[in-house]
Amino acid sequence: MAGKPKLHYSNGRGKMESIRWLLAAAGVEFEEEFIETKEDLEKLRNDGSLLFQQVPMVEIDGMKMVQTRAILSYIAAKYNLYGKDLRERAWIDMYVEGTTDLMGMIMYLPLQPADTKEKNLALIIERATNRYFPVYEKALKDHGHDYLVGNKLSWADIHLLEAILMAEECKPGILSAFPLLQAFKERTSNIPTIKKFLQPGSQRKPQMDEKSLATVKKIFGI
């Protein structure tokens, strides 16, 4: 029997958080080996574990997988969260890529210079409410299903819920103009595996604070 996937990253959200979300939603238990120092990262680089010298890295099914998108695609396909055919997979990819763009803006906000943070936060809120969330609201309205693709939980739904919760940390009530997304959030948050992941004490990581930001900067030389 194969062991649990092992995740190699710092003890924070970053690019690994969506991988944690996807595994948790699929009901897959996983282990984490945290990179706590620059030396920990160099050790992984020097022993040949990192194909492109970068993390996240996930040990799964005898592979040491790198590149966030490749890892997520593999997990989604392995656990039947990637649609039933090529057409559904294309829609899932489009939704995921869009959501990833929004999440990237939010993820890098703590790393922005203090004098530009307010401007960047305003841009995040503007993009979320005018570019990204209207797409998902319309998709749910047009097909009348509970989920974005194929009326079945997919990677696209899991990714969207993660993005919604991140956006709400930027601006509580950001979904006020999107009733179908509000219902979507409530519905998907109560899927048992996801509900468990959202509980205190899970492997979900909190928002970055000054201490964790300093640690990340030291590890990755930012």
Side-chain angles (χ1 to χ4, degrees):
M1 184 176 175
K4 297 176 184 176
K6 182 182 283 189
L7 282 50
H8 296 263
Y9 201 70
S10 60
N11 187 11
R13 289 184 183 176
K15 291 188 175 183
M16 186 65 88
E17 190 68 358
S18 291
I19 297 167
R20 297 183 184 108
W21 264 89
L22 197 55
L23 286 167
V28 179
E29 293 184 2
F30 57 89
E31 300 173 348
E32 299 193 75
E33 190 164 312
F34 295 123
I35 297 168
E36 297 178 329
T37 64
K38 194 171 184 179
E39 289 70 31
D40 291 340
L41 180 58
E42 286 303 316
K43 184 176 184 299
L44 284 176
R45 286 172 172 164
N46 293 334
D47 70 13
S49 293
L50 305 179
L51 193 62
F52 299 109
Q53 307 294 303
Q54 295 171 308
V55 289
M57 187 267 280
V58 175
E59 295 185 65
I60 185 170
D61 294 342
M63 296 183 288
K64 292 184 176 180
M65 291 198 71
V66 296
Q67 298 300 313
T68 310
R69 172 70 201 217
I71 296 166
L72 288 165
S73 297
Y74 183 83
I75 293 167
K78 180 178 173 70
Y79 295 105
N80 198 26
L81 293 166
Y82 210 175
K84 71 177 186 298
D85 55 29
L86 201 56
R87 185 181 180 87
E88 286 194 358
R89 185 166 293 196
W91 276 105
I92 289 168
D93 284 342
M94 285 191 282
Y95 288 141
V96 164
E97 288 296 321
T99 312
T100 299
D101 289 345
L102 174 61
M103 290 164 69
M105 294 174 69
I106 300 171
M107 188 188 307
Y108 288 108
L109 186 64
L111 299 173
Q112 303 293 327
D115 59 346
T116 65
K117 274 188 182 178
E118 189 172 332
K119 180 181 176 182
N120 287 319
L121 177 60
L123 180 62
I124 287 167
I125 294 166
E126 189 276 327
R127 288 280 170 84
T129 54
N130 293 321
R131 179 178 294 186
Y132 296 106
F133 289 164
V135 169
Y136 303 113
E137 184 80 3
K138 184 177 186 299
L140 293 168
K141 181 180 180 181
D142 286 352
H143 62 47
H145 294 159
D146 287 346
Y147 302 110
L148 290 172
V149 180
N151 201 24
K152 181 178 182 294
L153 181 71
S154 75
W155 174 19
D157 302 300
I158 297 158
H159 214 52
L160 176 56
L161 178 60
E162 182 187 0
I164 286 171
L165 297 183
M166 289 174 72
E168 287 183 331
E169 289 172 345
C170 292
K171 182 186 178 183
I174 197 168
L175 290 185
S176 60
F178 305 101
L180 296 181
L181 278 181
Q182 292 176 44
F184 170 88
K185 174 196 163 188
E186 179 70 18
R187 189 165 56 245
T188 50
S189 294
N190 281 293
I191 292 169
T193 52
I194 294 175
K195 186 174 183 178
K196 181 180 178 182
F197 188 61
L198 293 173
Q199 298 303 310
S202 79
Q203 288 168 292
R204 184 183 179 217
K205 306 308 177 198
Q207 277 184 285
M208 188 177 287
D209 57 19
E210 289 300 321
K211 183 179 178 182
S212 58
L213 178 60
T215 300
V216 165
K217 285 182 173 180
K218 192 171 182 182
I219 293 170
F220 297 107
I222 299 171

